[in-house]
Every structure is written in C-alpha cells, then in structure tokens.
Amino acid sequence: MAARTGEQFLRGLAGDREIWVGSDKISSPVDHPALRGAAQALAEVFDLQHQQANACLMPDPETGEPINVSHMIPYSREDLERRHRGLECIAEYSVGLMGRTPDYMNVTFAGFAGRADEWGANGNEKGAANLVRYQKKLRREDLSLTHTIIHSTIDLAKGKLPVGHDPVQLHKVGETEHGIVVRGSRVLATLAPFADELAVYPGGPMPDAADIHALSFSIPMTTPGLKFICRDSVSVNSGKFDHPFSSRFDEQDAFVFDNVEVPRERVFIDCNLNVYNTVMKTTWWPNIMQQTMIRAQTKLEFAWGLASSMAEAINAVQPQAQQPLGEIAMFSELARAAIFAAEQGAHEYGNGMWACDVRPLAGLRAALPTWFPRVNEIIRQLGSHNLLTTPSRAALADPKLRPLIDRYLTGVGVDAEQRSRLFRLAWDFAGTALASRNEQYERFYLGSVGRNLASLQTFGDRTRARRLVDRFLNEELEPMVQGKDLKGPLMDAAQ
C-alpha cells in the first residue's frame, strides 16, 4: 500500500473496535463529536506527507514504494538529517501540541528493527525476527500505531508488580495453538481511538517482576477482548475560530484492558525477563528523542511567536514584558542547540544503526517539564484580562454587536477580529482544558523532572568532569612544614 492518504487512514478506522468515551461505546471515532476533530486532523497529517513529499517521503529500501521517512533505519548522520526534515514538517502541523502523531511509533519501531541484535539476545531469536517482520508491515501499510508501556499503579507500598497473587497488570495466562493469551491492564494509550494497532513493549526494567509480565507484542485494535476506556474528552466542537486547538488536537488518552489472544508471529518478547530488562537501555533513548525533541522545540518556537504577537498587539514594550518573552526565546534556542549538537554528535550504536548523541537530548529532556509550565505561565501573565476579552465568532457576526466590538476591542496593527483570534489562540494554548491536559503531558513526558535529573546523574558520562577535578586533587603539592604556615615566594623575599 505504501504511504497512505488521509481518506485511506479514515477508512481504516471503520473496523469493529471497543472504545469507550464516557458511557458511549464507539466502534469508529470518525463521527463521534468527542473524536471526529482529531480524526480529521490526523487525516490531514497523512495527506501532509504527500503534499510535502520531498521532506516526508522516501523509497522503501526493499520495494521502492514511497514510505514516510519516520520509518527509516538511519545508517549515517545524513540519514538523521534527512529524517529531521520530515519530523519537523509533521511537528509544525500541530505546532507540537500532538505528542503522539504516528511518526513517534514509526521512529520507535525503526530503532527496534535497526537493533534487532539486541532483541535477539538471550534466546529471543524468534521474537526478534517477528519484530523485524512487523516493522516492515508497519512501514509498508503505513499503519497508525499506539502503544502502552506503563503498569497500572495500585499500591506503591507493595510495588507496581507484586508477586504472589492474581495481578492487575498485564501478564500471560496461557497458550493456544496459535499464540499466547494475555490478561490485565496497561496505561496510557495516547492516540488509541485513532490507531490501527496497539503495541506493548518495555517502559523500563522490571528487576523484581515475575516472568509473566515480561511481554512485548503488537495486535490490531479490533482484536477480540481488547478494550479502551478514554479519559474525559477536552475536544470542543465550536469551530477553529473559537477553539483553534481544542477543535482538532485532542489526541486522547486511554486505559487498556486486555483479555486477548496474541498470534505467535506478533509476539516480540514471551516471558523473557532478561530481554525485557535490557532492550531499552542503549539505542531507544538516542533514537526516539530526535523525534520528541524536534516536536518540543517546534512547540517552544511557536509559543515564542505567539507571546510576541500578543505583546505587539497591545504594544507591551515595557521591560517587564520583554524579559519573559526573552525567556521563551531562550528555551527555544537552547532546545534548537541541543538538537543540533545531538545530530552533529551522532554515531553508530551497533549493528550499523546510527542515532543521536544522547547527552544534549538527555539534558533537554530533564529541562522541558519545567520549561513548558513556565511558558504557559508567561503567556497567561502577559495576556492578563485580554485573554478573557475575546468575542466569539457568533458575537462578531451579530450586526448589533460588531460595531461596538470594532470600536472598543481593537489592537495595535490588528482589528478587533484579528485581536480576538490572537488571544483566543493564546488561551487555547495555555488556558483551556486541552492546555491543562497538554501541560500535564509535558510534565511527565518521558519521565518526571526528578527521574530525569536522577537519570542524568546516574548515567551521565562524567569522564571529563572527573578529569577536571582530579587535576587539582592529584597535582603535586609543596612539602608541608610542621608548625609553620606555608608562605608564597613574595612574602618569603620580603622577610
């Protein structure tokens, strides 16, 4: 099939699946008021790859068919730069507000297939072969894939995966002629209503877990027994003028409840705890963070442009307005620099696969959960009451109200309608229910602040840092004279 169009993507969502939004059981998200806006937006992402084919598409290395560059297994720095252009194009569509557009999982599985040697270690050769075969299916059919890698939190005092009772978390319960049977819950499947398939893979090591939890596989969303319960929708159907983001960019999050049969050829890890605990340690981070940080930098740059436009519309030139604008600019430029440094420092990570230098990206990852809430705070402070004096499209269309609005709600260089659009855009970015969900997402995206900082300290390469310190700790010192203070040569000469 190769790279799909938006129409083909929407047709693929028409299968019989079990998705719940409130008390509504939905088989297809295309027509449901809480989901159709994002479904149409994602269809535009699929169309975008054809509209921007030079940036987004490349030939499949085996068939020559056009595929999205996010499916590329990079084998050089030039490949990473080529992928960067396509990832940036996709990120710009939603200005980084959609964190789980399909390119995220495309990059993930390209990285897994590129390091199939890691997945095939410790007796998991069949699982690795299944994974490589699945990645070819993913790219050639241009599937929309969601994932769930977090275990449900029940009682942290007992640990997430307590042994010795029937677990809540996803686990293997048996085998059939055709595969394995799994049961339990898993979270958090972002993009679930708009996915063709669901992937399960390690979110991190499970040193104390039972083997039955060490699972990785991918199955269609229509698999019998697979259920998704969505969080409250933050989608608003009042149109793009009143809610430019909430009307289309609620990518949804769902809690997964499984009691399903997984075909044997779809199983990547089958109760192999050694493989489960090792495959994510080396290349996953430097590979996937190219996509995640390009998205984040795009969002920061948009925020800078948005906040600057707000200030210009009310002529906020005072230092107390310009300084926080510069703060957002600093975040954006530091993110850009980190990505550039990571790509320039890219190298081979094994099996011929290239990925970014993880160090600048790890530092950026630790900063973003504090930067994004600060950006929202700046926008809300700069916007002040202006964020709430934004006539709706209906008010602007009312012949009785429009003359008053045109007279009393203008800006500097913008008329009343453009001013309303601008501040509505800012409010939808930083103040609405969608904005709150996105801020929570950014706070814990790829781990919390504390976990990321601890990870930097634990796994960071301190070779040069130690050398700089050791120079002073190990240098030869003057002999110590007992009972006397050592004095410098000038003092000695003066005496």
Side-chain angles (χ1 to χ4, degrees), residues 264-283:
R264 204 168 305 281
E265 66 273 12
R266 293 297 200 99
V267 178
F268 313 137
I269 300 176
D270 183 4
C271 298
N272 190 326
L273 197 57
N274 287 332
V275 174
Y276 191 100
N277 285 342
T278 58
V279 291
M280 305 294 284
K281 287 185 175 181
T282 52
T283 52

Side-chain angles (χ1 to χ4, degrees), residues 337-410:
I339 295 167
F340 179 79
E343 291 175 347
Q344 290 301 303
H347 57 88
E348 198 227 329
Y349 276 78
N351 209 32
M353 178 181 156
W354 277 59
C356 292
D357 181 351
V358 73
R359 294 173 298 173
L361 298 181
L364 179 57
R365 166 175 155 246
L368 290 174
T370 58
W371 287 1
F372 278 116
R374 175 60 181 150
V375 166
N376 284 355
E377 181 184 35
I378 291 171
I379 289 174
R380 294 179 69 159
Q381 287 177 337
L382 285 174
S384 184
H385 62 276
N386 297 292
L387 294 169
L388 305 178
T389 53
T390 51
S392 67
R393 193 170 196 181
L396 286 161
D398 191 305
K400 298 176 183 177
L401 298 178
R402 183 61 185 258
L404 295 172
I405 294 170
D406 284 340
R407 181 177 181 183
Y408 293 114
L409 289 176
T410 59

Side-chain angles (χ1 to χ4, degrees), residues 147-304:
H147 76 313
T148 174
I149 60 175
I150 301 174
H151 301 287
S152 301
T153 302
I154 306 300
D155 184 348
L156 288 176
K158 297 180 180 179
K160 287 191 174 182
L161 296 163
V163 179
H165 71 290
D166 185 27
V168 170
Q169 290 80 5
L170 184 71
H171 60 288
K172 179 179 176 179
V173 295
E175 299 198 16
T176 68
E177 179 183 355
H178 304 291
I180 65 173
V181 179
V182 300
R183 181 181 301 153
S185 69
R186 196 88 170 221
V187 299
L188 187 64
T190 301
L191 204 76
F194 317 107
D196 300 300
E197 302 219 349
L198 167 73
V200 171
Y201 57 87
M206 303 184 299
D208 301 321
D211 287 344
I212 58 172
H213 295 291
L215 299 168
S216 178
F217 55 84
S218 188
I219 50 177
M221 295 288 287
T222 55
T223 302
L226 191 58
K227 301 174 176 63
F228 295 85
I229 300 177
C230 295
R231 59 156 168 80
D232 291 350
S233 172
V234 295
S235 180
V236 180
N237 296 305
S238 59
K240 295 178 182 178
F241 182 98
D242 291 338
H243 292 92
F245 299 136
S246 299
S247 61
R248 49 185 154 172
F249 293 152
D250 181 14
E251 56 191 351
Q252 256 298 343
D253 307 288
F255 327 107
V256 185
F257 294 85
D258 275 323
N259 186 18
V260 305
E261 181 183 36
V262 181
R264 204 168 305 281
E265 66 273 12
R266 293 297 200 99
V267 178
F268 313 137
I269 300 176
D270 183 4
C271 298
N272 190 326
L273 197 57
N274 287 332
V275 174
Y276 191 100
N277 285 342
T278 58
V279 291
M280 305 294 284
K281 287 185 175 181
T282 52
T283 52
W284 184 75
W285 287 111
N287 176 57
I288 191 57
M289 279 202 290
Q290 187 190 26
Q291 190 274 346
T292 65
M293 298 309 159
I294 288 172
R295 178 202 67 84
Q297 193 280 327
T298 301
K299 187 176 179 181
L300 288 169
E301 191 159 0
F302 171 81
W304 180 31

Side-chain angles (χ1 to χ4, degrees), residues 285 365-366 369 441-452:
W285 287 111
R365 166 175 155 246
Y441 178 89
E442 300 291 4
R443 285 180 183 272
F444 297 96
Y445 182 58
L446 298 182
S448 64
V449 174
R451 180 178 297 178
N452 289 335

